[in-house]
Amino acid sequence: MEPHSARVVGTETGFRYLPDRLDEAAQRRLLAEVERIGEAAPFDRFVMPGTGRPLSIDMTNAGPLGWVSDRSGYRYSPAHLRTGLPWPPIPDLLLALWRELTDYPAPPECCLINLYQGVGAKLGMHRDQDEEAFDAPILSVSLGDAAMFRLGGRRRGDPARTFVVQSGTVMVFAGEARTFYHGVDRILPGTSALIPGGGRINLTLRRVTRPR
Ligand code: MD6
Ligand code: FE
């Protein structure tokens, strides 16, 4: 399928959509890494700051800093909130992808891992803005069931387009697109056999601090 977004959102915005960027073998290797990370740093169902309402997805991290959320706010933490242990290292395969697809002069510090299971799993429209290094791209890798991804613009009400991201799809949010609103409307169950029992995993690589 020719992604609608590849035409509508041109590369001049800094958005890149790379379906099938990871072949099946690479997807399996990455899934094994995610399973190892999940054993060392168990997935959590974070709550929203303020309301305390739980998200509909589970999250964990790899790298020197991990994105976390609790009643007091969103932030980056050097340690898992419950175990107090540092997050496991970011898999080499992902660091290599970052070097290949971005020209950023420093490595990512956070790999946030989202796990979508069940019909209600989604992620509301948001911008990733808890990082200091706003000039750094965000690189995203999807595994498992396909999802309807929504990409808007700089302002919350800007027109948005919706397209499918599948297992092995890589996206880069660089330049202007780094701050575009986006979200995951829903998962398409039964569209991939990669994850036992079904579900979707998304990994996003972020530079958090400004390189010195
Ligand atoms: C997801 N992705 O696909 C959520 N953020 O599960 C994101 O929120 C995201 O894919 C920034 C850049 C790329 C992304
Ligand atoms: Fe995001």
Side-chain angles (χ1 to χ4, degrees):
M1 186 188 71
E2 161 76 358
H4 188 52
S5 60
R7 277 175 280 117
V8 177
V9 179
T11 50
E12 72 281 1
T13 63
F15 172 73
R16 286 177 76 190
Y17 174 90
L18 307 168
D20 304 318
R21 181 60 183 69
L22 296 190
D23 64 20
E24 219 176 291
Q27 293 172 33
R28 279 210 208 88
R29 280 201 301 277
L30 186 52
L31 178 62
E33 298 277 5
V34 170
E35 284 164 354
R36 267 196 291 279
I37 291 165
E39 280 163 24
F43 281 86
D44 267 316
R45 181 67 57 102
F46 291 137
V47 298
M48 310 268 282
T51 64
R53 279 188 51 172
L55 301 178
S56 62
I57 64 178
D58 295 314
M59 295 177 165
T60 190
N61 292 274
L65 291 170
W67 187 90
V68 299
S69 175
D70 62 15
R71 293 301 288 246
S72 67
Y74 307 123
R75 63 191 179 282
Y76 281 94
S77 164
H80 191 285
L81 292 187
R82 285 182 295 125
T83 68
L85 296 172
W87 308 99
I90 298 175
D92 284 341
L93 182 163
L94 292 175
L95 296 175
L97 205 59
W98 174 273
R99 288 191 298 266
E100 208 174 312
L101 295 178
T102 81
D103 48 17
Y104 201 70
E109 295 168 298
C110 169
C111 174
L112 172 62
I113 306 175
N114 295 338
L115 174 63
Y116 298 74
Q117 284 176 314
V119 281
K122 63 189 174 67
L123 188 61
M125 290 294 271
H126 68 278
R127 301 195 297 172
D128 295 80
Q129 49 189 359
D130 302 319
E131 302 76 26
E132 288 166 24
F134 240 65
D135 57 325
I138 295 181
L139 191 153
S140 151
V141 181
S142 292
L143 294 177
D145 284 335
M148 300 305 298
F149 195 92
R150 183 184 294 266
L151 179 63
R154 235 181 302 190
R155 282 170 301 269
R156 193 172 269 286
D158 284 349
R161 47 254 119 183
T162 306
F163 52 92
V164 174
V165 291
Q166 285 170 307
S167 201
T169 296
V170 173
M171 293 187 286
V172 183
F173 282 38
E176 198 192 351
R178 170 68 178 76
T179 54
F180 282 1
Y181 277 91
H182 58 278
V184 175
D185 287 353
R186 64 193 180 90
I187 306 306
L188 307 174
T191 47
S192 165
L194 185 77
I195 300 173
R200 172 175 183 262
I201 290 168
N202 177 264
L203 305 99
T204 44
L205 295 177
R206 298 109 185 281
R207 179 73 197 185
V208 181
T209 66
R210 288 181 182 286
R212 24 175 296 133

